[in-house]
Protein backbone atom coordinates (compact mmCIF):
# COMPACT_ATOMS: atom_id res chain seq x y z
CA UNK A 1 0.00 0.00 0.00
CA UNK A 2 1.27 3.47 -0.91
CA UNK A 3 0.83 6.22 1.63
CA UNK A 4 0.48 9.78 0.39
CA UNK A 5 0.83 12.69 2.81
CA UNK A 6 -0.60 16.07 2.02
CA UNK A 7 -1.56 19.17 3.87
CA UNK A 8 -5.12 20.39 4.03
CA UNK A 9 -5.67 24.17 3.91
CA UNK A 10 -6.45 24.01 7.65
CA UNK A 11 -2.90 22.56 8.10
CA UNK A 12 -4.13 19.20 9.36
CA UNK A 13 -2.13 16.27 8.10
CA UNK A 14 -4.17 14.05 5.80
CA UNK A 15 -2.93 10.58 4.91
CA UNK A 16 -4.22 9.02 1.72
CA UNK A 17 -3.95 5.26 1.44
CA UNK A 18 -3.81 4.05 -2.13
CA UNK A 19 -3.69 0.28 -2.47
CA UNK A 20 -1.28 -1.39 -4.84
CA UNK A 21 -2.58 -2.22 -8.28
CA UNK A 22 -2.81 -5.95 -8.92
CA UNK A 23 -3.30 -5.77 -12.67
CA UNK A 24 -3.77 -2.49 -14.47
CA UNK A 25 -2.18 0.73 -15.62
CA UNK A 26 -0.44 3.70 -14.03
CA UNK A 27 -0.38 6.86 -16.13
CA UNK A 28 2.50 8.87 -14.68
CA UNK A 29 4.35 12.14 -15.37
CA UNK A 30 1.20 13.95 -16.50
CA UNK A 31 1.72 17.71 -16.55
CA UNK A 32 0.13 19.10 -13.37
CA UNK A 33 -3.48 20.09 -13.99
CA UNK A 34 -3.80 18.08 -17.22
CA UNK A 35 -4.75 14.77 -15.59
CA UNK A 36 -8.43 15.68 -15.48
CA UNK A 37 -8.50 15.80 -19.30
CA UNK A 38 -7.17 12.25 -19.49
CA UNK A 39 -9.43 11.09 -16.65
CA UNK A 40 -12.48 12.44 -18.49
CA UNK A 41 -11.36 11.23 -21.94
CA UNK A 42 -11.00 7.69 -20.55
CA UNK A 43 -14.44 7.91 -18.91
CA UNK A 44 -12.96 6.92 -15.55
CA UNK A 45 -15.69 8.73 -13.64
CA UNK A 46 -18.01 5.89 -14.75
CA UNK A 47 -15.55 3.07 -13.94
CA UNK A 48 -16.76 0.14 -11.85
CA UNK A 49 -13.17 -0.70 -10.86
CA UNK A 50 -10.78 1.19 -8.56
CA UNK A 51 -9.22 4.35 -9.96
CA UNK A 52 -6.92 6.74 -8.08
CA UNK A 53 -6.47 10.25 -9.47
CA UNK A 54 -3.66 12.20 -7.80
CA UNK A 55 -3.37 15.91 -8.59
CA UNK A 56 -0.27 18.04 -8.00
CA UNK A 57 1.89 15.25 -6.58
CA UNK A 58 5.45 16.31 -5.80
CA UNK A 59 8.00 15.37 -8.45
CA UNK A 60 11.77 15.89 -8.37
CA UNK A 61 11.90 16.34 -12.13
CA UNK A 62 8.62 18.12 -12.90
CA UNK A 63 8.00 19.99 -9.66
CA UNK A 64 4.34 18.92 -9.66
CA UNK A 65 2.59 16.22 -11.66
CA UNK A 66 -0.69 14.32 -11.92
CA UNK A 67 -0.96 10.53 -11.72
CA UNK A 68 -3.79 8.15 -12.63
CA UNK A 69 -3.79 4.59 -11.26
CA UNK A 70 -6.28 2.17 -12.83
CA UNK A 71 -6.78 -1.21 -11.17
CA UNK A 72 -8.00 -2.89 -14.35
CA UNK A 73 -6.56 -3.83 -17.71
CA UNK A 74 -8.14 -1.43 -20.21
CA UNK A 75 -7.42 -0.53 -23.81
CA UNK A 76 -6.01 2.97 -24.27
CA UNK A 77 -5.13 4.76 -27.50
CA UNK A 78 -1.55 5.79 -26.74
CA UNK A 79 -1.55 8.15 -29.76
CA UNK A 80 -4.24 10.28 -28.13
CA UNK A 81 -2.41 10.26 -24.80
CA UNK A 82 0.79 11.27 -26.59
CA UNK A 83 -1.10 14.12 -28.22
CA UNK A 84 -2.48 15.31 -24.87
CA UNK A 85 0.91 15.12 -23.16
CA UNK A 86 3.92 13.58 -24.96
CA UNK A 87 5.88 13.32 -21.69
CA UNK A 88 3.57 10.76 -20.09
CA UNK A 89 4.90 7.41 -18.93
CA UNK A 90 2.61 4.36 -18.94
CA UNK A 91 3.36 1.54 -16.49
CA UNK A 92 1.60 -1.75 -17.22
CA UNK A 93 1.14 -3.62 -13.93
CA UNK A 94 0.85 -7.41 -13.77
CA UNK A 95 0.69 -9.25 -10.44
CA UNK A 96 1.59 -5.99 -8.61
CA UNK A 97 4.84 -5.61 -10.61
CA UNK A 98 5.68 -3.17 -13.41
CA UNK A 99 5.74 -5.55 -16.39
CA UNK A 100 6.20 -2.87 -19.04
CA UNK A 101 7.12 0.81 -19.06
CA UNK A 102 6.09 2.87 -22.10
CA UNK A 103 7.41 6.40 -22.68
CA UNK A 104 4.97 8.28 -24.88
CA UNK A 105 5.81 10.84 -27.53
CA UNK A 106 3.97 12.85 -30.13
CA UNK A 107 2.45 10.41 -32.62
CA UNK A 108 3.56 10.63 -36.27
CA UNK A 109 -0.05 10.31 -37.48
CA UNK A 110 -3.42 10.78 -35.83
CA UNK A 111 -6.78 9.81 -37.25
CA UNK A 112 -10.12 11.32 -36.19
CA UNK A 113 -8.53 13.03 -33.19
CA UNK A 114 -7.80 16.47 -34.65
CA UNK A 115 -10.51 17.91 -36.88
CA UNK A 116 -9.69 19.89 -40.03
CA UNK A 117 -11.40 23.27 -39.92
CA UNK A 118 -10.67 24.23 -43.54
CA UNK A 119 -14.10 24.63 -45.20
CA UNK A 120 -12.56 23.63 -48.56
CA UNK A 121 -11.16 20.35 -47.21
CA UNK A 122 -12.77 17.14 -48.43
CA UNK A 123 -13.44 16.23 -44.78
CA UNK A 124 -15.83 19.19 -44.53
CA UNK A 125 -18.11 17.95 -47.31
CA UNK A 126 -17.59 14.18 -47.24
CA UNK A 127 -18.48 13.00 -43.73
CA UNK A 128 -17.20 9.45 -44.33
CA UNK A 129 -13.63 10.66 -44.92
CA UNK A 130 -11.37 10.27 -41.90
CA UNK A 131 -9.56 13.31 -40.53
CA UNK A 132 -5.90 12.28 -40.90
CA UNK A 133 -3.06 14.50 -39.73
CA UNK A 134 0.70 13.95 -39.96
CA UNK A 135 3.28 15.44 -37.61
CA UNK A 136 4.71 18.48 -39.36
CA UNK A 137 6.94 20.07 -36.73
CA UNK A 138 7.74 18.20 -33.47
CA UNK A 139 9.18 21.29 -31.77
CA UNK A 140 6.06 23.38 -32.44
CA UNK A 141 3.82 20.28 -32.07
CA UNK A 142 1.98 21.00 -35.32
CA UNK A 143 0.17 18.59 -37.61
CA UNK A 144 -0.69 18.84 -41.34
CA UNK A 145 -4.00 17.65 -42.81
CA UNK A 146 -3.43 14.82 -45.28
CA UNK A 147 -5.91 16.27 -47.79
CA UNK A 148 -5.59 20.07 -47.75
CA UNK A 149 -2.33 20.75 -45.85
CA UNK A 150 -4.13 22.77 -43.15
CA UNK A 151 -1.88 23.09 -40.09
CA UNK A 152 -3.27 22.33 -36.63
CA UNK A 153 -1.56 22.35 -33.26
CA UNK A 154 -1.55 19.38 -30.91
CA UNK A 155 -2.91 21.81 -28.33
CA UNK A 156 -6.07 22.13 -30.47
CA UNK A 157 -7.03 18.69 -29.15
CA UNK A 158 -5.81 19.37 -25.60
CA UNK A 159 -7.93 22.48 -25.17
CA UNK A 160 -11.13 21.26 -26.64
Amino acid sequence: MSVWHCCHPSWELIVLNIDRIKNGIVIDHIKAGHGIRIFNWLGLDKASYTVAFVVNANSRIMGKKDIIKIDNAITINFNVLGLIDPNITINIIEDEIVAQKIKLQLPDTVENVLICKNPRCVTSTEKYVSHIFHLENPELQTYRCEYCDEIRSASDFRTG
Side-chain angles (χ1 to χ4, degrees):
M1 177 179 339
S2 298
V3 179
W4 295 76
H5 298 275
C6 61
C7 291
H8 191 268
S10 68
W11 297 100
E12 297 174 33
L13 180 64
I14 297 174
V15 179
L16 302 173
N17 292 321
I18 301 175
D19 290 334
R20 284 186 162 170
I21 292 178
K22 292 175 182 62
N23 294 295
I25 298 171
V26 176
I27 305 172
D28 199 359
H29 302 108
I30 305 167
K31 185 176 179 181
H34 290 208
I36 191 68
R37 181 76 191 260
I38 295 167
F39 186 87
N40 290 335
W41 175 72
L42 292 172
L44 296 174
D45 57 324
K46 299 170 189 70
S48 60
Y49 40 85
T50 303
V51 176
F53 178 24
V54 181
V55 179
N56 291 325
N58 289 326
S59 168
R60 288 186 320 260
I61 297 169
M62 301 174 69
K64 298 283 185 184
K65 66 179 180 177
D66 293 353
I67 306 166
I68 300 172
K69 296 175 82 172
I70 305 166
D71 197 7
N72 192 29
I74 63 171
T75 302
I76 297 176
N77 183 334
F78 293 151
N79 280 345
V80 175
L81 283 185
L83 196 63
I84 294 171
D85 186 343
N87 300 309
I88 289 174
T89 302
I90 304 290
N91 294 313
I92 307 296
I93 311 297
E94 295 175 1
D95 297 322
E96 298 184 1
I97 297 171
V98 177
Q100 185 178 7
K101 191 174 270 233
I102 303 165
K103 180 76 174 106
L104 296 186
Q105 57 188 13
L106 283 171
D108 291 329
T109 302
V110 291
E111 185 172 341
N112 294 325
V113 176
L114 292 170
I115 304 299
C116 187
K117 293 190 175 185
N118 181 351
R120 293 189 179 111
C121 184
V122 68
T123 60
S124 294
T125 57
E126 304 296 332
K127 301 304 178 198
Y128 66 89
V129 177
S130 295
H131 292 258
I132 301 171
F133 283 81
H134 302 282
L135 185 60
E136 177 79 11
N137 186 323
E139 289 78 32
L140 297 176
Q141 298 184 354
T142 55
Y143 285 81
R144 178 185 43 78
C145 176
E146 181 168 290
Y147 309 106
C148 72
D149 294 329
E150 175 86 2
I151 301 295
R152 297 294 309 272
S153 170
S155 65
D156 291 340
F157 175 76
R158 290 185 214 129
T159 59

